[in-house]
Amino acid sequence: MHDANLGTLLRTCDAVGACLAVPPFRWVDEALARGNTLRHPTCVHRVGSPLRWLADERRAGAAVLGVELADEAVRLADLPAARRRTVMVLGHEATGIPPEALDLLDGAVEIPMTGTGSSLNVAVAGSLVLYKLAGLL
């Protein structure tokens, strides 16, 4: 489930001028290395407590946007480009954003799907939203 997706997402972060914040799990470095084909240093923040980090970012004035199915979610096509520092939160492909993190979101964006699948992998979902937030789509 994490395989090369995290490194692929890191490449997208680099393409749009964003950083990637990751939790302190053992598999993260391996997953980043597997999917990251960039030959220069990338912007990765390793956060000890993702929930505390999100709360701190929000208090510092960042918008916190989750990629999640929610009643009040904005469709990806209607998402405006970010006008201030924005943190995008991605959850697990099968279980979504953990409930304790949902309370820290300022809003949600939904990626419409017409096929039979119920979710996209983290690299695809994150890349779509990153390009939209960066104003490149």
Side-chain angles (χ1 to χ4, degrees), residues 9 28-29 73 76 86 88 98-99:
L9 183 58
V28 168
D29 288 334
L76 180 62
T86 301
M88 179 183 60

Side-chain angles (χ1 to χ4, degrees), residues 15-40:
V16 302
C19 294
L20 182 67
V22 294
F25 301 138
R26 189 175 308 156
W27 55 263
V28 168
D29 288 334
E30 186 178 310
L32 287 174
R34 190 173 303 130
N36 181 12
T37 59
L38 297 173
R39 301 292 180 234
H40 61 278

